[in-house]
Amino acid sequence: MCGIVGYVGMRTAAPILLEGLRRLEYRGYDSAGLAILPEDGPLVVRKRQGRIDHGLAPLVADFPAPGLAGIGHTRWATHGPPSDANSHPHADASGRIAIVHNGVIENFDRLKERLRAEGHEFLSDTDTEVLAHLIGRERAALAAEVGPPGELLVRAVSRALREVIGTYGLAVVSADAPGLVVAARRGSPLIVGIGDGEHFVASDAAALVSHTREVVYLNDYDVVAIRADGIQVTNLGTDTARVQISRLEFDAEAAERGKFPHFMLKEIFEQPTTVRNALRGRLDFDEATPRFGGLNMTLAELRGVDRIVVAACGTSWHAGLVAEYLFEEFAHLPTEVEYASEFRYRNAPLDKSTLLLVITQSGETADTLAGLREARRRGHRVLAICNVVGSTIAREADGGIYLHAGPEIGVASTKAFTSQVTVLTLLALLMGRIRQLSSSRGLQLMRALEAVPEQLEEILALDGQIAAIARKYHQARDFFFVGRQYQFPVALEGALKLKEISYLHAEGYPAAELKHGPIAMIDEHTPTIVLAPADALIEKTASNLQEIKARKGPVILITTRGHDRLASMADDVLFLPPTLDPIQPLLTVLPLQLLAYHIAVLRGCDVDKPRNLAKSVTVE
C-alpha cells in the first residue's frame, strides 16, 4: 500500500528520500511528500498530488529542502480523495511535528471529535492528521517535564499510540529534536536499515537495498528512536524489545528493471530461474521425496494431519486452489481453500488434526496475517508459504517454506505465483510420499518438476507470437478464460491478470460451467481463452470449445504440442511442451501472463502501477 522512507545521517536527506520513494512507486500511490529536519529552524514540508517525477520532485527542485534527517511518503488514498491537502506528511497543531503513516486508525473519528472540542483545527480528511495532532497534544503535555527533547518525543508517540485502535506503520520528526526519527508499527511493516554513521527506516526493503543490506524487522508495538549513531527499540506492550539484525537476500540490481521496459515483463522472464530456486536443494531422488528445512514438523506430525485448510488472497488464493487438487490427488487429504478475508471472521470448525496453510508473497497481507493469528490463538499449527524473509507472517508461523523468488516489484504477481505452485507441488508430494504415493510416481513427478525451467524458456520463446495475438484482440471489451481440473485455477489467474493491468472485463470458469449461464455472453466480439493441455479431460474440453465456436466466439487455444485436431477448431493456438497433468499449471499460466502484459501495453496502461491497486495489501 503506501510507502514510508526515513533517513538520519551526515548526507543531505532529500535526495535519499526521493530515491527511496521512487523505489516504492510499484506499491501504488496517488501523492507523495517529504518532511525535512534542518539543523535549526522550522520543519520543511513538501508534498504534492500525483506521480513523484511530475509533482514532488519538481517542487523540491524549485523549493529546496535542506537537512540531514527527514521522512517521506507515497500515499494510497483511504481517508479522503487524492489531493495536496490529504497528502502526507501531516503536521500537528504547532506545525513543529510531522508524521507519515501507513494503515488505518479505526477510532480516528472519536479522537478527532475530542481534539476539536479542545480547539484543534484540521486541514485534511485523513486519519493520519488526527494522529499527528494526538502526538502533538501528548508532546505539549510533557513540556514541563525535564529530559532530552528526543526522549520526550518518543514518550509522546508511545502515549498517543496507546489511545489508537487500528493499524499503523509510522515515522515522526520534530523540529525540537533534530537528528531523530521516531518510528513505530502495528500491523503494517517497517524495517530499520543499519548503516555506518547513518540509519534508515522504510516500509519495504526495496527502499533500503542501495544503501545497506543489514536490517532490523520491527515487531508489532515496537517503537524505535533512530539517530545517526544508533537505534533504540522499545515495545509498547513489554517496555523491552527483541532486536535482531538480518541480512537482505537481494541486492539493488535485483530491484532494477535492467533491459526490460517494465518490472512485470522482467519478472515473467525470470520464472525459469525462480522455479529453479524454488526447487534447489529440495529434491531427494534417492528417496523419491522432497526435503524441507523449515517446516518444524516431524514426519510423524505431518502424517497425523488429516485435513488441510488454505487461507490466502488474490493470486495466492489461486495458487491455493491448485494446491487443493495436488493434496487430494497425491495424499488423499481433504483440502479447503478459503479467502483469508472471510476465514478470519468465520468460526470455522478446525479439529486438532487440521493444518492451516497460509500463502502470501509479501508476508504482510493483513487478512492472511489475521487468519494465521486466529488459528494459532485456537491452538492450531500454521505453516506459511512466503517470499519475504523476515516478514511478519514468516516470523509468526510455526514453520514454512520460502519461495526464494527475489523481490517482486510488479503489482500484478507473476513469478511469485509459479514459485508458490512449485513449492505447493513439492509439499503435496511430500505429504503423498509419507502416505500411499509410490516411489515410482514420486520420481516421475520430481523429474517433471525438474524439467519445468527449460520448458518455461521454450514458452518464453513464443513471446512474439503471443504479442501478435494480443494485437488481434486488444480492443475486445470482454474475455472468458476456461479450463478443467488443474486448469480451472489457472483460468481464474489469467482473468485476474488481464483485469489487473488492462482494466478489461475478464472472467474465469470451469469449462463445463459455461453452459450454466455465462455462454449467454458469447458472441463474435468476446474472445475465450481455452486451456486444454493433453490431460485426461481434453475431449470434454474440446466439446466446450465447439460450443463456443457454434456461437461465433473467437477461441484462443492453449494446448500441448501435437494436438492438431483440437487446434483446427481454434482461431489462434499456442502449443506448449508436454508434461504431467499436475505440473501443467506451471506451464499454462505463462502465456496468460504474457497475453495480459501485451494487451495492457497496447492499450496504453501503466503495467507496473495499475490504477487503484497496491502491491502489499496491509489494510482490510
Side-chain angles (χ1 to χ4, degrees):
M1 307 292 280
C2 310
I4 287 175
V5 183
Y7 173 77
V8 182
M10 302 306 295
R11 293 188 282 168
T12 302
I16 296 170
L17 297 175
L18 282 171
E19 177 207 356
L21 292 180
R22 286 190 178 99
R23 289 182 177 275
L24 297 181
E25 285 188 288
Y26 73 93
R27 296 170 67 92
Y29 71 105
D30 52 60
S31 56
L34 305 177
I36 303 295
L37 277 173
E39 293 188 34
D40 53 57
L43 282 170
V44 178
V45 175
R46 303 282 185 261
K47 58 182 182 177
R48 183 65 58 82
Q49 180 185 351
R51 297 296 186 194
I52 292 170
D53 288 336
H54 298 123
L56 178 62
L59 182 65
V60 173
D62 292 341
F63 302 95
L68 305 180
I71 53 178
H73 191 264
T74 51
R75 177 181 186 255
W76 188 83
T78 55
H79 295 72
S83 68
D84 290 351
N86 287 333
S87 304
H88 295 211
H90 289 288
D92 75 325
S94 71
R96 298 185 64 77
I97 292 174
I99 176 176
V100 294
H101 164 236
N102 295 350
V104 173
I105 306 302
E106 295 175 9
N107 62 333
F108 87 99
D109 49 351
R110 295 189 293 277
L111 293 171
K112 192 172 190 176
E113 288 177 9
R114 192 179 80 192
L115 290 166
R116 272 184 171 149
E118 295 174 6
H120 290 252
E121 296 181 359
F122 296 91
L123 305 177
S124 77
D125 305 315
T126 68
D127 55 340
T128 301
E129 189 184 11
V130 175
L131 183 53
H133 279 244
L134 189 63
I135 292 170
R137 175 181 178 273
E138 294 299 332
R139 178 63 183 87
L142 294 169
E145 299 201 15
V146 178
E151 180 182 315
L152 295 178
L153 179 63
V154 172
R155 288 175 59 190
V157 171
S158 299
R159 284 170 55 160
L161 292 179
R162 286 189 168 95
E163 299 189 49
V164 163
I165 299 171
T167 58
Y168 53 80
L170 58 88
V172 183
V173 290
S174 170
D176 297 321
L180 172 69
V181 173
V182 179
R185 72 153 282 176
R186 179 184 182 271
S188 189
L190 273 186
I191 307 167
V192 176
I194 307 299
D196 182 9
E198 59 184 4
H199 288 80
F200 310 81
V201 66
S203 53
D204 190 297
L208 306 178
V209 72
S210 63
H211 300 289
T212 181
R213 300 286 293 280
E214 293 190 333
V215 297
V216 174
Y217 294 94
L218 296 182
N219 297 301
D220 276 354
Y221 302 106
D222 278 352
V223 179
V224 56
I226 304 168
R227 297 179 175 86
D229 58 357
I231 66 171
Q232 184 176 2
V233 185
T234 58
N235 188 278
L236 292 176
T238 63
D239 293 327
T240 60
R242 293 178 288 105
V243 178
Q244 179 178 343
I245 296 178
S246 304
R247 189 164 178 81
L248 295 176
E249 280 196 331
F250 63 95
D251 56 21
E253 186 178 349
E256 300 287 347
R257 287 200 311 267
K259 65 180 181 180
F260 294 93
H262 297 95
F263 280 109
M264 182 180 179
L265 187 62
K266 177 195 176 194
E267 288 156 8
I268 290 172
F269 273 79
E270 285 177 342
Q271 287 174 107
T273 299
T274 54
V275 170
R276 283 191 188 97
N277 290 344
L279 294 172
R280 184 173 291 119
R282 290 168 172 167
L283 297 175
D284 183 344
F285 287 100
D286 291 335
E287 297 293 330
T289 190
R291 300 289 185 192
F292 295 107
L295 295 181
N296 297 331
M297 293 180 70
T298 66
L299 292 181
E301 288 172 328
L302 289 169
R303 203 174 289 114
V305 172
D306 62 15
R307 178 179 171 226
I308 293 176
V309 173
V310 178
C313 303
T315 286
S316 297
W317 186 77
H318 295 154
L321 290 178
V322 176
E324 181 177 14
Y325 289 98
L326 292 166
F327 283 117
E328 291 181 351
E329 178 175 343
F330 295 176
H332 291 176
L333 275 172
T335 304
E336 301 166 36
V337 185
E338 301 269 0
Y339 286 109
S341 56
E342 292 295 311
F343 175 77
R344 65 182 293 187
Y345 292 115
R346 288 180 52 214
N347 188 21
L350 304 178
D351 57 35
K352 292 181 180 179
S353 55
T354 296
L355 175 69
L356 179 65
L357 187 62
V358 297
I359 308 173
T360 166
Q361 189 283 135
S362 68
E364 303 291 349
T365 310
D367 290 316
T368 307
L369 177 59
L372 178 154
R373 287 173 171 167
E374 176 62 15
R376 293 200 72 212
R377 187 190 63 79
R378 293 162 60 180
H380 297 288
R381 192 182 294 269
V382 181
L383 297 184
I385 308 294
C386 181
N387 191 38
V388 180
V389 175
S391 60
T392 305
I393 287 175
R395 285 181 282 131
E396 293 195 16
D398 295 294
I401 306 169
Y402 283 120
L403 304 181
H404 300 302
E408 188 176 66
I409 307 298
V411 169
S413 181
T414 52
K415 65 178 181 177
F417 176 79
T418 48
S419 293
Q420 287 169 347
V421 172
T422 300
V423 163
L424 288 163
T425 305
L426 291 174
L427 183 58
L429 181 52
L430 171 63
M431 298 297 274
R433 286 291 290 124
I434 63 175
R435 288 170 171 78
Q436 78 292 326
L437 193 70
S438 69
S439 61
S440 59
R441 179 61 170 167
L443 278 173
Q444 186 185 35
L445 289 162
M446 288 166 61
R447 294 295 182 199
L449 279 170
E450 193 179 39
V452 165
E454 288 188 8
Q455 292 176 323
L456 292 176
E457 289 171 354
E458 288 184 55
I459 298 169
L460 288 171
L462 302 175
D463 184 45
Q465 185 181 347
I466 295 168
I469 294 172
R471 285 192 292 272
K472 185 175 177 180
Y473 296 106
H474 74 278
Q475 292 183 332
R477 303 300 303 175
D478 302 280
F479 288 79
F480 284 108
F481 292 72
V482 298
R484 287 175 179 263
Q485 296 293 292
Y486 284 102
Q487 299 309 314
F488 163 50
V490 179
L492 293 176
E493 176 62 11
L496 177 63
K497 285 288 127 343
L498 189 61
K499 282 184 276 197
E500 285 179 315
I501 62 172
S502 72
Y503 322 136
L504 292 170
H505 172 250
E507 299 291 343
Y509 287 98
E513 284 298 305
L514 277 180
K515 299 187 295 294
H516 298 280
I519 202 167
M521 297 287 292
I522 298 293
D523 60 21
E524 63 272 23
H525 305 296
T526 307
T528 300
I529 292 84
V530 177
L531 302 170
D535 59 16
L537 294 177
I538 189 169
E539 294 301 329
K540 298 289 187 183
T541 310
S543 297
N544 302 129
L545 189 158
Q546 290 175 324
E547 292 163 358
I548 297 166
K549 292 304 297 178
R551 289 151 181 85
K552 300 181 180 180
V555 169
I556 303 166
L557 174 66
I558 296 176
T559 189
T560 306
R561 277 198 304 260
H563 281 267
D564 296 334
R565 185 185 70 82
L566 201 60
S568 66
M569 296 184 248
D571 298 89
D572 297 275
V573 185
L574 293 169
F575 289 109
L576 307 186
T579 189
L580 303 177
D581 291 6
I583 310 302
Q584 284 171 343
L586 290 169
L587 305 186
T588 53
V589 74
L590 187 51
L592 303 187
Q593 295 171 350
L594 285 168
L595 182 66
Y597 170 81
H598 287 297
I599 288 175
V601 170
L602 288 165
R603 294 178 62 82
C605 300
D606 191 342
V607 173
D608 284 338
K609 298 183 280 290
R611 69 187 185 198
N612 303 331
L613 297 182
K615 183 63 180 172
S616 179
V617 183
T618 57
V619 298
E620 288 193 65

